[in-house]
Amino acid sequence: MGASLTNLVVLDYSGTLSIDITMFGRTDILIKALKRSGLWNLGVENEGIFWGQIVNPTWTEGSLTQIGYKALIVA
């Protein structure tokens, strides 16, 4: 049986999963998180892409509807 790789990426928009959320917005910490999560390898190589193309465009609809962030981000 071959090896299977599974990746899980959690985007914690509201900070409810992390006690250190106030530090997450720091560039150095965010870049480390993007690399560690695998998003860096998918082209999210700076904080501008993360905030400007992933978080900000999905924030309102994701927080006010039941569509869910995953569906919005993947679309």
Side-chain angles (χ1 to χ4, degrees):
M1 191 179 242
S4 174
L5 297 177
T6 302
N7 295 313
L8 172 65
V9 175
V10 176
L11 299 177
D12 181 18
Y13 285 88
S14 60
T16 57
L17 300 177
S18 175
I19 227 167
D20 297 321
I21 194 58
T22 56
M23 302 299 286
F24 183 75
R26 286 184 28 187
T27 299
D28 58 327
I29 292 174
L30 180 56
I31 296 299
K32 286 178 188 175
L34 293 173
K35 289 179 179 180
R36 189 173 51 251
S37 71
L39 289 173
W40 185 274
N41 295 331
L42 296 173
V44 185
E45 298 176 351
N46 62 61
E47 61 187 317
I49 294 171
F50 178 74
W51 295 114
Q53 295 181 26
I54 297 175
V55 176
N56 293 340
T58 61
W59 182 264
T60 301
E61 188 174 2
S63 62
L64 297 176
T65 70
Q66 296 200 13
I67 192 171
Y69 290 110
K70 178 181 176 184
L72 293 170
I73 291 169
V74 172

